[in-house]
Amino acid sequence: MAAVPMTHVLMVAAAIFGLGLVGVLVRRNIIFVLMSIEVMLNAAGLAFVAAGARWQQADGQVMFLFILAMAAAEVAVGLTLVLQIHRRFGTVDADAMSRLRG
Amino acid sequence: MLGLLWLVPAVPFAGALVLILAGARLRRTGVAVVGAGSVGVSAIIAALIAIRFVTLPPAEGFFTQRLWTWIRVGGFAPEIALRLDALSLVMVLVVTGVGFLIHLYSTAFMEGDDGYSRFFAYMNLFVGMMLVLLLADDLLLLYLGWEGVGLCSYLLIGFWYRDPVNANAGRKAFIVTRVGDTAMAVGLFLLVTRLGTLDIQGLMQRAVDQWAIGSPLAVAVAALLLAGAVGKSAQLPLQTWLPDAMAGPTPVSALIHAATMVTAGVYLIARTHVLFTLAPSVQLAVAIIGAATLLLAGCSALTQHDIKRVLAYSTISQIGYMFLALGVGAWSAAIFHFMTHAFFKALLFLAAGVVIARMDDEHDMFKMGGLRHDLPVAFWTFLAGAASLAALPLVTAGFYSKDLILVETWSSVLGGPWLWIAGLVGAFLTSIYAFRMVFLTFFGTLQKPPTGRSGWRLHVPLIILAILAVVGGFVELPATLGDRPYFSDFLHAALPAVVNDAARAGAIARLQIVAGLVSIAGIYVAWALFLRHRSLLARLTRPRPARQLHHFWAAGWGFDWLYNVVLVQPFLWFVDVDRRDAIDRVYDGIAWSARAGWRALSATETGRVRTYATGLTLGAIVITAIVIFL
Amino acid sequence: MVPIFYVSAAVAFLATALAISRANVVHGLLDLIVSLLAVAVMFLTLGAPFLAALEVIIYAGAIMVLFVFVMMLLNLGPQTVEQERRWLPPRAWITPFVLAAVLLVEVVVVLGGVDGPALAGEAIDPRQLGTVLFGRYAIGVELASMLLLAGVVGAAHLGRREGGA
């Protein structure tokens, strides 16, 4: 069975992570920001799975499971915050929440 | 019994602690019981110890109680140790006894004050500190008590701190005495470095062993200790704080600024008399300072209108007598005068306090008058105190103590006619101003009737002190009047007797007659000028030079003005000029850069999540780069 | 299997790029689902079939459904698309792209140091995974359960209406 080189998988993961990062930095809509964070988590999970496959151990996959659980919790809280923000400020613009300005 | 010695200072400290911690929650009666009671218990213990000490004296003549070692650094190990000998016993009895009477008086006098528990907390702390000062076996512990009473003095002068005048008076007292205290601290450093200990007995022994009479080190140390004593006891040239210290409540003036704390300087010199004996020039300076102070303060007391300021100047003057006695080597005479002075001066202050309170806080004697029928208790006790102050012959305590000082000043090898004449003139001035107070306040026409009433807690201390002010002198009867020098004999266990010059020792009876006549003459002059022939007084003060002299004396010989011009103003000028010096630049620079850094950093706080995320990314990039390239 | 990996990698990359650049949130979500499915395929090729199933079920299924529900609750109208366009001028992309590119280059440099042995395509079956998960990582499971509980409580608390209990 042919195999994918480790380096390539990690590069794909890095590329997807980079896209997620761009998303976080560029979007003002909080929903897009949350989506971008999901992308980044997913990319990190990909790297874990690759490492698990490289060493033929289940540990990498276990890590992905934890990431999954974490992402679920984070999305639940994050989306409730989006709802709350929308209710309070009438917008989903992340830049509108700037009361902490120094 | 003697083992309970530590309780004497500990009980007032405990009282102060209770009042500080729980004073706000206690009722007024509770505060009064704790405040006066702790000093009362202390006085009772002191009295029991005294009985035991007198009936069964310790073999060496003193009793030492070592509690614990305070610090141990190298060879220097000052101990918390109490020492009871004849000298400290007399002082402790007076401080606790008079202190208790004044506390009892205060429970009624301060009744309406908001700071009732605060007042008693300070007073108890003061008594505790004073007892530490007196009982200390170690100069370092003595210094602790010394500074402690200074602190309490400051707190109590500024007790009514809402009036800036009172707060300023407190600060003045603190700063002026600090001048002396600093000199004293330097003296202590010198003693430690040269003799290696501060334990008083060891110190005296080593000083005698190592230093010759008149050696420069002994002179320096004695002079520095003298400076401390001068500051604390309000002698020339550091006397300016005491008249202003009358801003405090009257019981404070009675306890701290008349009876006890201001005599700490006298005690210090008596305690370290060996050092002063080693430095005859300094001892002469003590006598001269005493003589000059008693004259200057006596003149100033003559011109004051405020009854409490008269008493303040009178206190300075009487401590001048004690210094004079110390200066001529009449150690026990100084302590004797300390004791009688504590009785009659506390009495005068407390009686004056009653008068002032009943006259609606009126301090000016010229606005009083004719009060002897309305305030009989205050009048009779004040009269007893004034008679004692004026040293009315034979019947008053003040006569015996002052007479002893005058006689020994005359006869001592260190004294002589000149110092004696100064003391005699001072005695004349004393009896004038003492009875000037009596005549202006209690005789003449009634200008304003007193209001309110005073209870037994005010009167009982007055009466007891009045009795003491009269009979307190009979413990020491001079050779011409029965020859029963019990007091001197008792003190000679701790203090050496005066060394008399054989050529001058024979004239005691004549000196006493002269002193007695001078006292009576002073009373007559006071009666003539301030009661009988007021017009004479007016004629006397009409010429311009006389009026100027009056002003000059009333302002305390211009010392405040002098210090203001010589010290305060140049200092303020220098501070003003020096406001922008190089060192300030450095600190300004620190402040400026902190502000600039704050501005720069707060600019990064945009409040936008995206900016923060960008910052995180940049950080990740930099750290990864460091990992890669380094 | 190898070509499938590269194809799905390309799909995932493109879909992600679209997902983050859309003006319409729902379009973005759909792109994201595509991306997640592509990642699931990659998992399959990397010998993690169970994770591939979870990716589809939980990520693409449950979590994305959450997003969709929230979209529904927010009830954003068509004017939001216009607004998104205004919020995304082309120059806004420059800095993030430069930063991400630099980071990517750095990662590539790091990966250059890694010798690249071929991945063995042997699958790790769910039994193995479960043994490890509930054996060595039992504490991790407990912690994850607590985290989820906290997420539920937190969401319930934050989601309450103003003034309501």
Side-chain angles (χ1 to χ4, degrees):
Chain A
M1 194 164 150
V4 186
M6 170 81 166
T7 326
H8 291 183
V9 187
L10 289 181
M11 278 185 183
V12 170
I16 295 176
F17 184 89
L19 283 175
L21 182 63
V22 171
V24 169
L25 296 187
V26 92
R27 304 300 304 228
R28 287 171 72 175
N29 189 330
I30 309 175
I31 299 174
F32 273 105
V33 173
L34 278 177
M35 279 163 54
S36 304
I37 290 172
E38 292 306 309
V39 170
M40 288 162 81
L41 286 172
N42 212 32
L46 182 60
F48 269 119
V49 171
R54 161 71 179 77
W55 301 106
Q56 281 294 295
Q57 295 289 327
D59 302 54
Q61 302 197 4
V62 169
M63 287 304 149
F64 182 78
L65 282 177
F66 288 151
I67 289 176
L68 201 63
M70 202 269 281
E74 174 250 320
V75 163
V77 175
L79 284 175
T80 352
L81 280 175
V82 171
L83 280 178
Q84 200 56 264
I85 286 165
H86 188 258
R87 204 179 285 156
R88 202 166 286 189
F89 294 89
T91 177
V92 285
D93 182 3
D95 288 0
M97 270 67 72
S98 59
R99 271 219 225 141
L100 282 177
R101 187 172 57 230
Chain B
M1 196 64 227
L2 293 181
L4 294 180
L5 184 59
W6 65 275
L7 276 175
V8 175
V11 173
F13 276 132
L17 198 66
V18 168
L19 289 174
I20 288 166
L21 294 178
R25 254 158 283 165
L26 285 174
R27 282 168 206 270
R28 300 223 145 192
T29 41
V31 171
V33 167
V34 173
S38 61
V39 182
V41 169
S42 182
I44 290 168
I45 297 172
L48 292 174
I49 289 174
I51 292 168
R52 167 72 171 68
F53 190 89
V54 173
T55 53
L56 269 174
E60 322 83 68
F62 61 86
F63 168 74
T64 310
Q65 187 169 35
R66 302 197 180 285
L67 298 176
W68 66 86
T69 301
W70 190 356
I71 314 165
R72 193 186 296 278
V73 186
F76 178 57
E79 292 196 346
I80 304 278
L82 306 179
R83 177 191 170 87
L84 188 74
D85 59 8
L87 172 60
S88 53
L89 182 65
V90 170
M91 302 288 287
V92 164
L93 282 178
V94 171
V95 167
T96 53
V98 174
F100 170 67
L101 291 174
I102 292 172
H103 274 75
L104 181 64
Y105 175 92
S106 307
T107 57
F109 190 82
M110 300 299 288
E111 193 79 69
D113 201 275
D114 291 336
Y116 199 60
S117 69
R118 185 163 60 93
F119 178 81
F120 280 103
Y122 291 166
M123 288 288 266
N124 279 8
L125 185 65
F126 168 77
V127 173
M129 282 297 182
M130 190 72 204
L131 291 168
V132 166
L133 194 168
L134 297 177
L135 288 169
D137 190 28
D138 192 289
L139 278 179
L140 196 62
L141 187 60
L142 185 146
Y143 194 66
L144 175 77
W146 186 274
E147 294 297 334
V149 292
L151 169 71
C152 293
S153 163
Y154 162 76
L155 291 171
L156 284 162
I157 294 170
F159 183 72
W160 291 310
Y161 55 86
R162 291 207 170 81
D163 186 348
V165 173
N166 298 340
N168 282 335
R171 234 169 285 151
K172 184 176 176 186
F174 201 70
I175 292 168
V176 173
T177 52
R178 186 96 355 230
V179 175
D181 293 355
T182 309
M184 181 177 164
V186 175
L188 296 188
F189 297 149
L190 208 56
L191 282 174
V192 171
T193 49
R194 296 293 161 163
L195 298 179
T197 181
L198 281 179
D199 169 63
I200 294 173
Q201 301 315 311
L203 198 63
M204 297 305 140
Q205 195 55 50
R206 289 187 203 184
V208 171
D209 292 347
Q210 295 183 17
W211 290 342
I213 288 179
S215 72
L217 268 175
V219 170
V221 167
L224 288 165
L225 291 184
L226 172 63
V230 159
K232 198 57 122 193
S233 292
Q235 297 295 292
L236 223 56
L238 296 177
Q239 82 286 20
T240 53
W241 64 272
L242 190 59
D244 287 337
M246 297 301 125
T250 304
V252 172
S253 308
L255 179 62
I256 300 182
H257 304 119
T260 56
M261 185 193 83
V262 288
T263 55
V266 177
Y267 174 76
L268 177 72
I269 294 178
R271 189 40 105 196
T272 56
H273 61 88
V274 175
L275 288 174
F276 286 85
T277 314
L278 287 177
S281 54
V282 179
Q283 204 179 352
L284 181 63
V286 175
I288 292 170
I289 286 174
T293 309
L294 74 90
L295 288 175
L296 260 58
C299 292
S300 288
L302 273 179
T303 54
Q304 300 299 320
H305 285 208
D306 181 338
I307 187 168
K308 282 184 74 180
R309 285 182 83 90
V310 178
L311 290 171
Y313 277 112
S314 150
T315 304
I316 298 175
S317 168
Q318 297 304 308
I319 298 171
Y321 274 104
M322 298 179 211
F323 269 64
L324 176 62
L326 295 170
V328 299
W331 313 106
S332 51
I335 301 303
F336 187 36
H337 194 55
F338 149 77
M339 186 179 82
T340 57
H341 174 254
F343 295 150
F344 65 70
K345 190 54 62 65
L347 167 66
L348 287 170
F349 265 114
L350 296 185
V354 170
V355 172
I356 290 167
R358 298 285 296 275
M359 295 298 287
D360 294 328
D361 220 20
E362 177 58 65
H363 285 240
D364 190 343
M365 291 184 296
F366 285 89
K367 294 182 180 159
M368 302 173 185
L371 293 172
R372 67 183 182 279
H373 299 299
D374 293 292
L375 300 172
V377 177
F379 167 62
W380 285 107
T381 53
F382 195 92
L383 187 64
S388 200
L389 172 62
L392 195 67
L394 302 181
V395 293
T396 59
F399 168 72
Y400 292 99
S401 60
K402 200 176 283 179
D403 187 59
L404 188 64
I405 291 178
L406 287 175
V407 165
E408 296 197 337
T409 302
W410 173 271
S411 63
S412 166
V413 288
L414 299 167
W418 288 108
L419 291 172
W420 178 78
I421 289 170
L424 201 65
V425 174
F428 182 60
L429 294 172
T430 306
S431 63
I432 297 180
Y433 69 70
F435 277 85
R436 173 176 176 262
M437 281 190 291
V438 174
F439 293 138
L440 286 177
T441 311
F442 294 103
F443 288 86
T445 50
L446 185 68
Q447 302 213 9
K448 192 177 117 190
T451 54
R453 44 181 301 143
S454 13
W456 66 272
R457 281 182 296 172
L458 295 178
H459 287 155
V460 166
L462 288 181
I463 292 165
I464 296 176
L465 284 171
I467 293 168
L468 286 172
V470 173
V471 305
F474 297 138
V475 295
E476 170 90 15
L477 296 177
T480 48
L481 293 166
D483 197 12
R484 293 280 185 275
Y486 299 118
F487 191 82
S488 299
D489 287 348
F490 180 60
L491 275 181
H492 285 163
L495 296 169
V498 64
V499 182
N500 282 324
D501 186 334
R504 288 198 296 265
I508 296 178
R510 265 171 289 163
L511 296 179
Q512 283 169 333
I513 292 168
V514 171
L517 288 178
V518 159
S519 165
I520 295 169
I523 297 173
Y524 174 76
V525 170
W527 173 79
L529 286 181
F530 298 101
L531 196 61
R532 192 77 184 85
H533 308 292
R534 290 290 278 271
S535 57
L536 188 66
L537 181 69
R539 217 171 326 138
L540 209 59
T541 52
R542 194 166 305 136
R544 203 174 145 73
R547 257 185 324 192
Q548 280 172 337
L549 189 65
H550 184 275
H551 277 295
F552 187 55
W553 284 357
W557 296 72
F559 272 97
D560 279 327
W561 174 84
L562 183 69
Y563 291 160
N564 190 35
V565 169
V566 175
L567 298 171
V568 178
Q569 292 306 330
F571 183 73
L572 289 178
W573 173 82
F574 181 69
V575 166
D576 197 51
V577 167
D578 198 38
R579 182 165 289 173
R580 311 204 152 271
D581 65 351
I583 295 169
D584 273 10
R585 293 274 127 202
V586 173
Y587 293 108
D588 283 351
I590 290 173
W592 179 86
S593 52
R595 261 203 309 276
W598 162 72
R599 266 199 213 99
L601 282 175
S602 73
T604 66
E605 293 288 308
T606 58
R608 294 182 180 188
V609 180
R610 290 189 304 160
T611 327
Y612 301 156
T614 313
L616 281 175
T617 313
L618 273 172
I621 289 172
V622 169
I623 288 172
T624 320
I626 290 172
V627 170
I628 293 171
F629 297 112
L630 294 182
Chain C
M1 290 295 262
V2 176
I4 297 176
F5 175 83
Y6 288 112
V7 170
S8 51
V11 170
F13 188 81
L14 280 175
T16 312
L18 284 172
I20 61 162
S21 57
R22 292 277 194 177
N24 190 320
V25 186
V26 179
H27 294 177
L29 274 176
L30 290 175
D31 286 328
L32 188 56
I33 289 172
V34 171
S35 156
L36 293 174
L37 291 177
V39 172
V41 172
M42 280 194 272
F43 284 169
L44 207 57
T45 62
L46 291 174
F50 183 60
L51 290 196
L54 284 184
E55 176 91 2
V56 173
I57 295 168
I58 296 180
Y59 252 125
I63 294 180
M64 287 305 124
V65 165
L66 261 183
F67 271 95
V68 173
F69 265 113
V70 168
M71 293 314 308
M72 211 167 69
L73 285 171
L74 290 183
N75 198 17
L76 300 171
Q79 77 278 11
T80 54
V81 177
E82 270 308 305
Q83 194 185 33
E84 285 293 328
R85 293 230 165 81
R86 263 187 289 113
W87 282 352
L88 284 177
R91 62 188 159 76
W93 293 88
I94 297 169
T95 319
F97 254 114
V98 170
L99 287 177
V102 171
L103 198 57
L104 195 62
V105 168
E106 286 183 342
V107 171
V108 170
V109 169
V110 173
L111 291 179
V114 175
D115 60 327
L119 289 172
E122 302 245 345
I124 292 168
D125 60 6
R127 183 196 300 270
Q128 258 175 300
L129 182 59
T131 315
V132 175
L133 183 62
F134 293 107
R136 213 184 312 159
Y137 290 99
I139 290 180
V141 174
E142 294 300 328
L143 289 176
S145 72
M146 269 199 276
L147 178 69
L148 285 170
L149 183 65
V152 170
V153 173
H157 176 71
L158 289 170
R160 80 200 191 286
R161 295 207 166 264
E162 290 291 298

